[in-house]
Amino acid sequence: MANSSPACSPRRGNDSSPLVLEGARVAIQGFGNVGGIAALELIERGASVLAVSDVSGGVYDPNGLDIATMAAYAKENGSLEGWETGVRLSNEELL
């Protein structure tokens, strides 16, 4: 019998139950191809992304970030440098 779980379904260690992301508050280090996609996926699964970082530093908003708009900005500008919404942090402060 084939496993009907999605291949990318988050799991906790050896636990077979899915990781519950609804209401989770997360920070993402790296907002390039992988981090940007991860942030969008986390939001789709009910998490709030409060902070992200890229080569220009970090951005934090305790109410959650507008990841779709930030991703478009980063793609157009090459990074989040110049992004004005939220609190700017160093990458060290973010983590």
Side-chain angles (χ1 to χ4, degrees):
M1 180 173 184
N3 185 346
S4 61
S5 298
C8 65
S9 178
R11 306 270 180 209
R12 285 181 261 200
N14 292 331
D15 187 352
S16 63
S17 62
L19 178 65
V20 176
L21 294 172
E22 187 67 40
R25 299 161 43 100
V26 300
I28 297 180
Q29 183 180 18
F31 196 65
N33 290 333
V34 175
I37 291 169
L40 291 168
E41 180 73 20
L42 287 164
I43 287 170
E44 286 180 17
R45 294 176 182 241
S48 294
V49 178
L50 305 185
V52 297
S53 69
D54 70 3
V55 296
S56 70
V59 180
Y60 169 75
D61 186 332
N63 298 311
L65 296 167
D66 180 352
I67 296 300
T69 303
M70 290 180 85
Y73 180 92
K75 183 176 182 178
E76 183 176 319
N77 294 284
S79 76
L80 291 172
E81 187 167 350
W83 180 260
E84 296 182 1
T85 303
V87 177
R88 292 298 302 207
L89 305 169
S90 69
N91 288 328
E92 292 78 25
E93 290 172 311
L94 180 91
L95 299 175

